[in-house]
Amino acid sequence: MRNNVLNVLIFAGLSVGFYYFWIYAEKNWLAPPKPPAAKTDEPELTPEEVEKRAAEQKARDEKQAATAAVAGAAAASTDPKAPKPPEVRVTEPPKPTPRERPTLIRMGDGTFYNQVLLSTRGGGVQQIVLPRFDEADRLGREVKGTPLYLVPGVPRVRGRFSLPEPSFAALAVSGVPPTVLGKLEELKGKDFRTWDAVAVELARVLGPDDAERYEPAILRAARVREPDLADSYPTPDLQPGPVPAGTRLAEPSYAIFHYPTPDEKTPDTKLGEMAWKVVSEEHPEGGDHKVVFEAELGEPHFFKFRKTYTLGPKDYHISLRVEIERLPGGAKGKHPLRYQLSGPRGLPIEGEWYTNTFRTALIGWNDRKGAPRRQYEPATEVAAKRGGEPVPKGENTFKYMAVATQYFASAVAIDDTAEGAAKNPWAYVRATTELPFDKKADRNVPYFDDVTVRAASDVIDLAPGEPAVVHSYVIYNGPAKVKLLGLMEGNRAVEQPLVDRYQDRLGLRTVTDYQSPTWLGSFASAIYWTDLVIMFTNLMHWLLAAIHTVVPNWALCIVCLTVIVRLVLLVPSKKQTKMNVKMMQVQKRLAPQLEEMKKKYGDDFNGYNRAKMQLMMANGVNPLAAMGGCLLLFAQMPIMMGLYFCLQESVFFRLDHFLWVDNLAAPDMAVWWGEKIPYLSTPDNIGGTLYMGPYFNILPILAVMLMIGQQLAMLPPPIDDQAKQQRMTMKIMMFIMPLLFYKFAAGLALYFIIGTVWGIAERKFITKVDPNAPPDTGPTAGLPPKPGSPNGQATPGSPPKAPGMLGRLRDSLQKKMEEMQRQADEQSKRQIRNDRGAPGGGAGDGDGGPNQPRRDDRRDKKKKRKK
């Protein structure tokens, strides 16, 4: 049976390999099948009939040509004063009026923690830059000398693009004029590595105005393929002032739209597309920068909106104050409205080939009991449903809505401490996909779709002259783990009261410190396991920051932290290692006896295990030693998980260098092996099971090899089939684990390497046990055995030592196990006696013993009673 397991595994591996080989061959080597010929209801024609029809068609063509010639001559000979038939002209559809070019206004200079470009279009935020953090490209490498563009403000379209013949047909159907299509003929068949290259060519061929007008339609019709990761996005080049013609802009973030009626589900885009008036600007040196926009919504609503942005030098947020008042001409009760506040757009995804965290929509609120709650929806779910699940107000109190990536977040939180502002102004909040309505999500790589969040306000109904409705917000832009701001030093230091405000008052703590959105996360939260892991994660962050005050290199900080963790666990780990070595020693010495027992019991696996346990107990091995190892591992789990999440979310390791590693938060990327290896590195296979990326990584493979070597060294010698099966399983894991660990961050791989080397050294140098020594020469050989111990009776006159809590638990479990063993033995003996007392000497015929009635007799009696 166990040999069959190995055969099944080999067969499964070969089947999977053949499956992927066949797909690759079918895609690249085999010619595509010819399309089937169109079916007609007409019978096949003979050659004579074909010639006859061709002659008839030729005669018809000659007749039409003669008729046209006669008509032309007649037209030439007629009186020129005779009225001519009306001339049919093909007219192009009217061109839409281009939108007014916006003006950009800068807030914050090089000394600010946030730098912002505001736009007069919609009075929104066009761009947000974090100058204290560096930009990372799509491979996860540092872009030298470039700050992090958290909200780029320009379109970043993934893909390689071309305009084949089907694209022109789609453009004609969508209403693109023939003159434009004629100009685009110059680009037919060309391959462009980025959409920015396409935009440059469109501006050259069509001109800036037509290029901007028809670019969305051309993008929808273009053929898109997965891009090469080495082709990174260009750095946004937006400057304050009027936007020049030909400059491509993304839709502004944090814009406002209005619903024509309170019950309307789709907002009107007028407020978001119109040019807002700049009322005032303040840019004092070293002080807060302030910009005020205004816009009016005329008949039939008669409302005026005012947006005031304020940015402080040492703040990681922008204050936004929205004031709404009624204009003359409106009346209370007539044409009330509600507005929609949109969220951020286009947050960059770093390391597209290795990351597991893409854009995620988050909504935070407090329930009626004041407990924090959070909704977590990744881009894949939002795109698949064309929108997230709405979160209504009900009895909840909204705190924030955000879009986050692995390390950074942009969120708008409700500032309920502002004077005169509403405390809970939103009616509901929902995540939305930014895909066009006529475009579906890419089923192969839906992770890269853009998402945002949108909040709909409560109904606003005012009379002219009434005080304005005020809604105050805080637009946070910084690390997703807000607590890390308090650990920053130097020119990135943030005051602790501001960090506490972000975490507690605005509720941004739950962006990261919350349960996972699965049933397992709910279970872990119910038993307080989530709280324990969060506590240890924050402790690891604090320890790393404390070590970094002494050790300047973050990689060496990981080494120091690993050593500290292993020292804390040294005593229980050392005890468990000695127990494992002792068990291996006894099993090796008892190998001949165990082999004889195996032959004796044959296929009676349970009987063999019971006898083996009794033999091990008689030779001084506690059967609960393995359980002790599980308990030790369980005790370490919060620490290990806390360290794992700490390394995954810390912005300090991001883009930090060590030896050949350029980014401790990414795989070590030792050797570039390209993007042309089928299934392993081609961009089309991103997200696939076998996809490993364009780099060969050394640290994860080294970590896996050390871990497997340590486990093999800890396994008992293969004295039976079960031990052999365990070793076979470990050998199979040698091929599976590298796939699972291959794209781990270099900092995390470094932690596993140091921890495993420590464990190997601990086993080799701390535990000194002679494998050939008898079992009573161990460290407890000179101590008197405890009463009831399988090693013998206690020495008279030496009172036993009072056991502690763990000792009492161990003794209780051991007594229960012995009692269960005794009951199992008695049950086995009774079964043997019953089998011997059955007619024919066996129990296979279904009869009972001599004092028991036959089963057939019992069935007959039941039948008689029924009658």
Side-chain angles (χ1 to χ4, degrees):
M1 180 64 183
R2 294 185 177 90
N3 293 332
N4 292 337
V5 174
L6 179 59
N7 295 335
V8 170
L9 292 174
I10 294 175
F11 174 76
L14 292 176
S15 301
V16 173
F18 179 76
Y19 170 75
Y20 281 102
F21 173 78
W22 176 258
I23 292 179
Y24 179 77
E26 186 178 29
K27 183 178 180 180
N28 297 276
W29 297 342
L30 301 181
K34 296 182 179 180
K39 295 183 179 181
T40 60
D41 297 333
E42 298 182 359
E44 296 185 1
L45 302 177
T46 62
E48 294 77 7
E49 291 175 336
V50 173
E51 294 179 359
K52 182 180 179 181
R53 290 198 177 188
E56 293 176 355
Q57 181 64 34
K58 183 178 180 181
R60 285 195 298 267
D61 294 341
E62 292 176 352
K63 184 176 179 180
Q64 289 177 358
T67 303
V70 172
S77 62
T78 56
D79 185 4
K81 297 181 180 180
K84 298 181 179 180
E87 183 179 354
V88 179
R89 295 182 179 180
V90 180
T91 59
E92 296 182 0
K95 296 181 179 180
T97 304
R99 292 190 297 181
E100 181 182 348
R101 307 298 296 179
T103 299
L104 303 182
I105 303 171
R106 182 180 297 282
M107 294 178 66
D109 52 31
T111 62
F112 280 61
Y113 288 173
N114 277 187
Q115 294 179 2
V116 182
L117 280 178
L118 303 178
S119 175
T120 55
R121 178 179 295 171
V125 178
Q126 190 67 43
Q127 187 180 84
I128 300 174
V129 183
L130 304 184
R132 297 298 185 270
F133 298 91
D134 295 323
E135 181 89 350
D137 62 14
R138 298 172 56 211
L139 286 169
R141 304 170 305 183
E142 179 183 1
V143 181
K144 300 292 185 180
T146 304
L148 173 61
Y149 287 84
L150 185 62
V151 178
V154 297
R156 286 182 169 178
V157 186
R158 295 184 73 257
R160 301 182 65 170
F161 304 89
S162 60
L163 293 174
E165 187 63 38
S167 298
F168 283 81
L171 289 172
V173 172
S174 63
V176 176
T179 55
V180 176
L181 293 177
K183 295 178 181 179
L184 291 176
E185 287 288 338
E186 183 179 342
L187 307 182
K188 181 183 291 186
K190 292 185 178 181
D191 189 24
F192 299 92
R193 300 178 70 89
T194 63
W195 183 253
D196 294 275
V198 180
V200 171
E201 290 298 306
L202 290 179
R204 180 183 65 82
V205 172
L206 303 180
D209 293 336
D210 283 347
E212 182 181 2
R213 182 179 302 115
Y214 298 112
E215 181 179 340
I218 297 172
L219 175 58
R220 288 193 293 270
R223 179 190 176 192
V224 184
R225 291 177 296 162
E226 198 55 27
D228 291 338
L229 293 169
D231 298 330
S232 294
Y233 303 114
T235 302
D237 186 20
L238 299 180
Q239 299 298 329
V243 178
T247 303
R248 300 168 58 242
L249 296 176
E251 293 296 325
S253 302
Y254 302 108
I256 282 181
F257 309 91
H258 77 283
Y259 294 91
T261 63
D263 298 330
E264 192 75 31
K265 299 300 182 183
T266 304
D268 191 326
T269 60
K270 181 178 180 180
L271 282 175
E273 294 181 351
M274 68 186 301
W276 287 50
K277 178 183 177 182
V278 180
V279 178
S280 63
E281 297 182 49
E282 298 178 13
H283 304 278
E285 184 176 354
D288 294 353
H289 289 191
K290 185 177 181 180
V291 177
V292 181
F293 292 100
E294 281 187 359
E296 294 185 359
L297 198 61
E299 191 178 0
H301 299 287
F302 296 102
F303 279 99
K304 183 170 76 172
F305 290 80
R306 171 176 290 192
K307 297 175 71 174
T308 303
Y309 293 96
T310 307
L311 177 64
K314 304 299 181 183
D315 294 340
Y316 275 94
H317 72 271
I318 311 163
S319 297
L320 171 61
R321 183 180 177 90
V322 179
E323 300 173 77
I324 306 169
E325 62 182 76
R326 202 69 182 258
L327 296 174
K332 190 169 186 177
K334 293 184 179 181
H335 302 289
L337 55 72
R338 67 172 77 213
Y339 72 85
Q340 180 193 85
L341 177 64
S342 65
R345 300 169 183 261
L347 269 69
I349 300 174
E350 302 175 6
E352 294 179 5
W353 65 276
Y354 63 80
T355 185
N356 292 320
T357 305
F358 302 89
R359 298 185 185 100
T360 304
L362 303 164
I363 303 172
W365 70 92
N366 289 348
D367 61 17
R368 59 186 180 87
K369 296 181 180 179
R373 295 288 182 264
R374 187 193 73 179
Q375 179 170 286
Y376 179 101
E377 291 182 299
T380 51
E381 295 182 9
V382 178
K385 298 183 295 185
R386 305 297 298 188
E389 293 294 332
V391 178
K393 176 190 290 187
E395 297 181 346
N396 303 320
T397 302
F398 286 109
K399 304 299 290 185
Y400 67 87
M401 60 178 184
V403 176
T405 56
Q406 182 171 358
Y407 298 105
F408 296 96
S410 183
V412 54
I414 298 175
D415 184 9
D416 57 0
T417 61
E419 183 178 356
K423 305 300 182 182
N424 195 20
W426 297 340
Y428 65 90
V429 186
R430 186 189 183 198
T432 60
T433 179
E434 294 307 287
L435 288 172
F437 287 107
D438 56 350
K439 182 179 179 181
K440 295 182 179 180
D442 190 339
R443 292 181 297 177
N444 296 323
V445 283
Y447 328 102
F448 303 108
D449 293 334
D450 193 18
V451 294
T452 190
V453 282
R454 300 175 185 271
S457 72
D458 289 327
V459 178
I460 299 173
D461 188 11
L462 296 172
E466 282 191 21
V469 172
V470 179
H471 295 165
S472 184
Y473 302 107
V474 171
I475 302 176
Y476 171 80
N477 305 286
K481 181 78 172 180
V482 180
K483 187 179 182 68
L484 297 180
L485 292 176
L487 303 177
M488 292 184 177
E489 303 171 343
N491 63 349
R492 296 195 297 180
V494 182
E495 296 181 357
Q496 190 60 42
L498 182 58
V499 179
D500 295 337
R501 182 192 180 198
Y502 291 154
Q503 288 191 107
D504 303 326
R505 192 71 189 182
L506 303 180
L508 295 176
R509 181 195 305 271
T510 59
V511 171
T512 55
D513 294 356
Y514 199 74
Q515 69 179 61
S516 62
T518 61
W519 67 268
L520 186 60
S522 300
F523 173 76
S525 178
I527 62 175
Y528 298 100
W529 180 262
T530 300
D531 298 324
L532 189 63
V533 172
I534 291 174
M535 181 186 71
F536 276 98
T537 301
N538 294 330
L539 176 62
M540 295 303 159
H541 280 298
W542 180 84
L543 282 174
L544 280 169
I547 295 172
H548 191 255
T549 58
V550 180
V551 180
N553 187 276
W554 282 107
L556 297 180
C557 291
I558 295 176
V559 175
C560 295
L561 179 61
T562 307
V563 172
I564 292 174
V565 172
R566 299 299 298 192
L567 285 174
V568 171
L569 301 174
L570 178 62
V571 175
S573 178
K574 179 181 177 182
K575 184 176 180 180
Q576 181 60 33
T577 302
K578 290 182 178 179
M579 293 168 62
N580 290 337
V581 171
K582 185 177 181 180
M583 180 178 292
M584 293 175 60
Q585 166 196 332
V586 173
Q587 286 185 346
K588 186 175 181 180
R589 187 171 56 83
L590 297 179
Q593 300 181 42
L594 293 174
E595 188 65 28
E596 292 178 1
M597 291 172 55
K598 180 182 176 183
K599 295 178 181 179
K600 175 182 177 182
Y601 286 92
D603 295 333
D604 187 3
F605 187 71
N606 294 329
Y608 169 74
N609 277 339
R610 287 194 297 268
K612 178 182 176 181
M613 183 179 295
Q614 291 177 355
L615 181 62
M616 299 292 288
M617 291 175 63
N619 284 270
V621 174
N622 190 343
L624 297 177
M627 184 180 295
C630 295
L631 292 176
L632 177 64
L633 180 62
F634 184 78
Q636 298 180 46
M637 284 297 291
I639 300 176
M640 303 304 178
M641 294 180 67
L643 188 56
Y644 170 81
F645 289 115
C646 168
L647 297 178
Q648 286 291 95
E649 65 190 14
S650 176
V651 295
F652 300 117
F653 303 117
R654 176 183 172 272
L655 302 180
D656 194 73
H657 301 263
F658 178 69
L659 299 179
W660 72 88
V661 181
D662 292 330
N663 186 354
L664 285 174
D668 58 284
M669 298 184 278
V671 180
W672 171 269
W673 62 17
E675 302 182 62
K676 306 299 182 183
I677 305 176
Y679 295 108
L680 296 183
S681 67
T682 51
D684 292 336
N685 294 104
I686 289 181
T689 305
L690 298 180
Y691 181 78
M692 301 178 71
Y695 284 98
F696 175 73
N697 305 319
I698 294 177
L699 292 181
I701 294 178
L702 179 60
V704 168
M705 299 304 294
L706 287 173
M707 291 169 62
I708 293 177
Q710 183 188 28
Q711 292 299 321
L712 288 175
M714 296 298 293
L715 287 177
I719 56 178
D720 53 17
D721 292 341
Q722 185 178 7
K724 293 179 181 178
Q725 189 68 25
Q726 289 179 348
R727 285 188 171 270
M728 179 58 66
T729 304
M730 291 302 300
K731 292 179 180 178
I732 295 174
M733 292 298 294
M734 291 178 65
F735 299 96
I736 298 178
M737 291 183 67
L739 294 176
L740 302 178
F741 282 78
Y742 188 75
K743 291 184 284 187
F744 265 34
L748 194 59
L750 182 63
Y751 160 74
F752 282 119
I753 290 173
I754 301 301
T756 306
V757 171
W758 179 283
I760 294 173
E762 181 180 282
R763 168 174 163 74
K764 187 173 181 63
F765 298 108
I766 296 180
T767 305
K768 300 293 185 180
V769 179
D770 184 5
N772 297 320
D776 58 346
T777 59
T780 60
L783 298 178
K786 296 180 180 180
S789 171
N791 295 325
Q793 299 296 327
T795 303
S798 57
K801 184 178 178 181
M805 183 181 67
L806 294 178
R808 291 194 299 270
L809 177 61
R810 179 196 60 197
D811 294 341
S812 175
L813 292 175
Q814 184 168 344
K815 289 179 181 179
K816 291 182 179 180
M817 182 171 290
E818 292 174 353
E819 179 65 22
M820 293 171 61
Q821 180 69 36
R822 185 183 61 79
Q823 294 177 1
D825 291 340
E826 292 179 356
Q827 181 67 25
S828 178
K829 292 177 182 179
R830 286 197 297 269
Q831 183 65 35
I832 292 175
R833 287 197 299 268
N834 292 338
D835 293 344
R836 290 177 179 176
D845 54 358
D847 297 337
N851 299 326
Q852 296 179 356
R854 292 173 57 89
R855 295 180 184 177
D856 294 340
D857 297 339
R858 290 197 296 269
R859 285 196 296 268
D860 294 339
K861 291 180 180 180
K862 289 181 179 179
K863 291 180 180 179
K864 291 180 180 179
R865 285 198 297 269
K866 289 181 180 179
K867 292 179 180 179

